[in-house]
Amino acid sequence: MAALSSRRPFVGGNWKMNLNRSEGARLSRECADALGGMADAIDAVIFPSFTLLGDVRAHLTATAVGLGGQDCSPHAKGAYTGQVSAEMLIDAGATWSIIGHSERRHGLGESDELVGEKVRHALHSGLKVVLCVGETRRERESGKAHEVNSRQIRAALHGVDPSDVARVVIAYEPVWAIGTGLSASPEDAQEAHREIRREVCALYDPELGDSIRIVYGGSLNPANAGTICSLPDVDGGLVGGASLKASDFHAVCAAAAARAGA
Ligand code: PGA
């Protein structure tokens, strides 16, 4: 297993479908101020809704805080009403995209195959990707958590060149923990992350498996981030609710940064 500090911590703030332009501008200003000193230690990235990308970008330009979209079309351009392409995200100043979030897999019926197409297209276009995977409560209770995570990872990384995998961060987000206030126990989170790392080792090679960043998502907050981010195979977090308050997002980033110094 690679030394803890060899993987640069990553924390994403997924604002989901929240905030208007002035609220988004205010929060991005506050986050930029709060995170200024941490830029050397971690990758912190804000994922606002598409309509806020331009405003948020304006407040992050002179900072090391990154910007990403919450999804990305598998197509480059054309008759795809409602979709946003990788090229459009890049044009708006984003360098990252979340792909395969459970609110799209389960809420909108996105298949493993579609997630894989999106991942390949985003990487091909030059974006970095936060690939979300995670099991439902029913799948966990029936002992299928690892099987589900492995299946989602294999489909999402199918055909992805090893040289592109360095631009992928995997977010393990148990569906039952998202937005519920119930986070995975440290033992379950560590086990899931270790299994995901093993899967990447098996798909590629041990070096890549050891170097890929795997972050936890699902009710991560200032109270549990210290414990979860210090687990051996957890390299940071993807934060929903707690990313809507600059001081909470800062606290989660600080927990991830503390790991870097471990
Ligand atoms: P949550 O969301 O922190 O509100 O649980 C996490 C996510 O969906 O990325």
Side-chain angles (χ1 to χ4, degrees), residues 12-14 16 98 101-103 132 171 173-174 177-182 216-221 238-243:
N14 176 8
K16 307 194 180 184
I98 294 174
H101 193 282
S102 73
E103 285 151 14
C132 300
E173 299 205 299
I178 295 177
T180 57
L182 300 170
Y216 171 82
S219 297
L220 197 60
N221 60 43
L238 185 58
V239 190
S243 71

Side-chain angles (χ1 to χ4, degrees), residues 135 137 140-141 145-146 149 172-174 176-177 183-196 214 216 227-228 231 233-234:
E135 80 284 357
R137 176 172 293 288
R140 170 155 287 273
E141 285 171 355
H146 178 51
N149 291 324
Y172 167 62
E173 299 205 299
W176 47 271
S183 60
S185 69
E187 296 72 26
D188 287 348
Q190 167 54 22
E191 190 190 335
H193 281 241
R194 192 187 55 227
E195 290 301 325
I196 288 170
I214 307 172
Y216 171 82
T227 304
I228 291 183
L231 297 167
D233 283 295
V234 177

Side-chain angles (χ1 to χ4, degrees), residues 15 25 31 47-48 61 73 84 88 97 121 124 130 157 162 165 173 188-191 198 201 203 216 234 243 248 252:
W15 289 2
C31 287
F47 296 88
T61 300
S73 172
V84 172
M88 289 169 174
S97 178
H121 181 68
H124 180 73
V130 177
L157 296 181
V165 178
E173 299 205 299
D188 287 348
Q190 167 54 22
E191 190 190 335
R198 280 195 184 139
C201 286
L203 278 175
Y216 171 82
V234 177
S243 71
D248 285 357
V252 176

Side-chain angles (χ1 to χ4, degrees), residues 1 31 53 107 180 183 199 223 235:
M1 195 62 56
C31 287
L53 282 168
T180 57
S183 60
E199 189 66 46
D235 303 310

Side-chain angles (χ1 to χ4, degrees), residues 65-87:
V65 181
L67 182 65
Q70 295 176 12
D71 182 45
C72 171
S73 172
H75 307 289
K77 65 190 287 193
Y80 301 103
T81 303
Q83 299 193 35
V84 172
S85 70
E87 291 74 6

